[in-house]
Amino acid sequence: MTHRITRRTALGLAGAALAAPALRAQGPGAIRIVVPFAPGGSTDAVARLASVGLGQRLGQPVVVENRSGAAGAIGTEAVVRAAPDGQTWLLTFDSHAVLPALLPNLGFNLTRDLDPVMLIGGAPYVIACRPDRPFRDLAGLVAAAKAKPDAVSYGSTGNGTIGHLTMMLLQSRSGTRMPHLAYRGGGLAVNDTIAGHVDVMIGSAALLAPHVAGGSLRAIAQFGPARLPALAQVQTAAEAGFPGLEAEAWWGVFAPAGTPAPLVARMNAALRESLSEDRVRRQMEETQQARLVLSDPPALQAFVEQQIATWGAVVRENAIRPD
């Protein structure tokens, strides 16, 4: 199943925003963008990149509030329970789509209790290894794993993450078995891969590209719909013989269910303008290795439903549980 995103126009949303220039989020105080992860990660960075331009365009202070825990569920629930008045928004990451399968007792419904605002964009997951490892490409990794089942190990940034689930799909498609080491964060996984404690690791391009550029890691596969400019010599999974095997880290914005459509339209337009600024776009493309989408709400809704179906099936079929 492909995860390619079709970019849709947002002229209708921008028109709605322009038709109501006096519209402001209701209620006193700053607008909150809740990031359901700790400071320092890519989601936090994206939120802070957008917040300055948002404040200028919305005419109110915009603050980023980090509420981490339970794979993003704690911060997400805070937004679900917030008043739908345009004062509170959620900016979250790809693990959002795995929550229903990974946490069956989740106290909210992602599609019923949140309204979509924008799919900001995505960055492909990448498999990398130490330069002295024998794997030159995905075919070489698969061949080595077939030759010695359960001998070639891989690390990810956590159990049930999209990286972990991508490797589960790869093993299913290739008929291989590779032991998994789940790390509590990208830095730890990178360090152990560089040190040789794990044969390969999977992580977002934003995490791995600096180490590839610096020569401490070699990228052997990327899982986006096309090659990244920063990894132009590295095959996509489709080019390596696994069509449809795509996995991207992505960032999306949501509102509490019932947020008035004009407020959603206005936020969508403000996000598009803020993230399209040359300085911000360059940082997104270079620092986060992002492919910007800047979608309308229906496109985000369709994308999230697809992600929930795809990755939820992998979680259930492999009886995966959170760390």
Side-chain angles (χ1 to χ4, degrees):
M1 180 181 294
T2 182
H3 299 157
R4 186 183 298 244
I5 312 305
T6 301
R7 185 172 181 172
R8 301 185 185 183
T9 181
L11 292 177
L13 289 169
L18 291 172
L23 184 64
R24 293 293 183 271
Q26 302 301 307
I31 293 173
R32 293 190 305 155
I33 298 180
V34 175
V35 172
F37 306 102
S42 70
T43 314
D44 181 64
V46 171
R48 294 182 190 279
L49 269 177
S51 63
V52 175
L54 286 176
Q56 294 168 349
R57 290 170 174 85
L58 297 174
Q60 286 180 260
V62 175
V63 298
V64 176
E65 180 179 312
N66 299 92
R67 300 194 64 172
S68 61
I74 290 175
T76 300
E77 185 162 16
V79 176
V80 165
R81 307 301 177 205
D85 58 4
Q87 289 295 116
T88 304
W89 307 84
L90 174 73
L91 199 161
T92 192
F93 192 54
D94 58 33
S95 57
H96 182 79
V98 187
L99 288 176
L102 205 59
L103 303 171
N105 297 320
L106 203 62
F108 54 88
N109 183 289
L110 293 184
T111 55
R112 184 187 64 225
D113 296 331
L114 291 168
D115 287 344
V117 179
M118 173 182 282
L119 175 64
I120 292 174
Y125 276 89
V126 173
I127 298 177
C129 64
R130 265 172 54 139
D132 61 359
R133 286 292 193 264
F135 325 117
R136 308 297 303 186
D137 50 28
L138 192 56
L141 175 64
V142 168
K146 283 184 174 181
K148 295 183 177 180
D150 296 315
V152 178
S153 61
Y154 74 94
S156 79
T157 57
N159 211 46
T161 59
I162 298 296
H164 175 208
L165 302 183
T166 301
M167 292 300 291
M168 297 300 292
L169 275 181
L170 176 63
Q171 291 172 87
S172 175
R173 293 271 302 268
S174 62
T176 56
R177 296 197 313 269
M178 291 181 271
H180 175 220
L181 285 81
Y183 290 86
R184 294 188 179 276
L188 294 173
V190 167
N191 290 343
D192 266 14
T193 306
I194 292 173
H197 301 315
V198 62
D199 292 308
V200 301
M201 73 162 289
I202 185 166
S204 73
L207 173 65
L208 295 178
H211 303 281
V212 172
S216 58
L217 289 175
R218 178 173 65 233
I220 62 175
Q222 54 184 312
F223 289 87
R227 296 189 188 191
L228 278 177
L231 299 172
Q233 305 306 312
V234 181
Q235 286 185 324
T236 66
E239 291 172 328
F242 296 92
L245 183 51
E246 293 182 12
E248 289 189 289
W250 56 267
W251 306 274
V253 178
F254 300 82
T259 299
L263 291 177
V264 171
R266 190 166 183 276
M267 174 59 85
N268 183 284
L271 279 165
R272 177 172 294 100
E273 292 173 7
S274 299
L275 293 167
S276 296
E277 291 180 14
D278 287 343
R279 176 188 62 84
V280 176
R281 178 178 285 274
R282 280 198 307 272
Q283 287 194 41
M284 289 290 294
E285 292 174 346
E286 295 171 6
T287 305
Q288 302 300 333
Q289 298 297 314
R291 177 180 59 87
L292 289 179
V293 177
L294 308 181
S295 80
D296 61 10
L300 173 59
Q301 184 73 21
F303 173 70
V304 169
E305 290 174 355
Q306 179 196 53
Q307 293 282 288
I308 290 172
T310 298
W311 301 118
V314 179
V315 170
R316 290 186 293 272
E317 288 167 7
N318 294 279
I320 294 170
R321 293 291 177 264
D323 293 327

